Amino acid sequence: MNYPYLDWLCESMNYMEYPQQTVDFVTDTYKKICDNKRANRLFHDALALYEKQLMPAWNWGLTSAERAANAVDIHIYVAKFIFSLCVTKHTKAFYEQKGMPEGCFYGFLNDIKIKWGECVVLHKMDGVFVAEWFNRFVDGTRHTFGRLQFEPIFIGGHYEFAGRTATEGDMVINIHIPGGSKLLKEDCEKSFLKAAEFYAPLFENGEVIFHCNSWLLYPDHKEFLPETSNILMFADFFNVVEGKEWKGDLPRIFNVQNCEDNIKDLPEDTSIRRAFKNRLLEGKEVGVGRGFFIVKDGKFIK
């Protein structure tokens, strides 16, 4: 039997230093997909379109992977994980041809590993449960500059900050903060400045507008996080224009599903978790915030 992506799976996973047990599991499962005629066709027909750079909708490819999983009775999180890893073989060539900034391809590989780690913690299995997230890595519109990820989006509201206005339909550079490592001020500054240099030609007068909508920007964090918190440091880059109550990110903070069911049992192994747990035990809210800032000529404006 032919296993066309086996070498790439081994090479890419070893490069990213996955545990050998995970590498063995992925390669054995991939062989299982290949050995089944229907699963093989579903899986590799979708990959062939990415190889030819026809680039169908990412969710279409994930649906093919899910159908392949059902054909051989493996979990869809596993199939989507393997499919995503296989696709990186073609995104690597695609990035090189497109002239993507240095580090973007590693950023994609690293993001897959981060999401794999979250699946291991939350679902106790090798896989990825948010593979839909990879869509803008696959089409080359999400860029990694150092610690952070960026992508152009069109804003959906009306916001005023720093004497400027962002109106519905205006383009801004959206920021994502992947997990997996500490959030340090120096790293954030370097990422912002590299991104600003890259995106400056898209904006009048070189004023690059950055945007973030994240739990990290919740305004009331100042009530219960210490002044030395890296979360407050990150939020301080921004002019935070709105905040709202939202508990949907608690599983990301605690690595526990259904956090509200047993607040008293949530882990307290980090200062952030202790602060959030105490906040919840007090019956107070947590949430998300939206913020903006501008970089022009290497200077930050908020």
Side-chain angles (χ1 to χ4, degrees), residues 145-148 150 181-194 233 237:
F145 294 99
R147 178 63 179 82
L148 304 171
F150 304 86
S181 62
K182 288 185 178 181
L183 197 62
L184 302 177
K185 184 175 183 179
E186 181 180 359
D187 293 340
C188 292
E189 287 180 345
K190 289 179 179 178
S191 292
F192 293 143
L193 292 174
K194 287 181 180 178
M233 171 278 299
F237 280 102

Side-chain angles (χ1 to χ4, degrees), residues 3 5 16 36 71 74-75 80 82 89 123 126 131 151 173-174 184 198 206 265 270 274 280 298:
Y3 305 116
Y5 287 84
M16 295 303 297
N36 179 281
I74 62 174
H75 201 285
K80 290 179 179 180
I82 299 173
K89 180 178 181 179
H123 297 280
D126 291 302
E151 62 193 13
I173 304 304
N174 199 39
L184 302 177
F198 179 77
D265 295 328
T270 67
R274 287 192 293 273
L280 294 170

Side-chain angles (χ1 to χ4, degrees), residues 58 62 79-88 108 112 128 131 134:
W58 176 238
L62 294 181
K80 290 179 179 180
F81 176 41
I82 299 173
F83 184 80
S84 300
L85 287 170
C86 290
V87 164
T88 62
F108 185 15
I112 294 175
V128 169
F134 300 141

Side-chain angles (χ1 to χ4, degrees), residues 133 136 141-143 150-157 159 166-176 199 202-203 209-213 290-292:
W133 163 253
R136 296 199 70 172
T141 57
R142 181 174 294 138
H143 303 82
F150 304 86
E151 62 193 13
I153 65 169
F154 297 102
I155 202 69
Y159 304 98
T167 302
E168 183 172 359
D170 287 350
M171 185 177 65
V172 297
I173 304 304
N174 199 39
I175 301 167
H176 298 290
Y199 290 113
L202 302 181
F203 292 85
I209 302 174
F210 288 95
H211 163 269
C212 186
N213 186 31
R290 184 188 305 274
F292 296 84

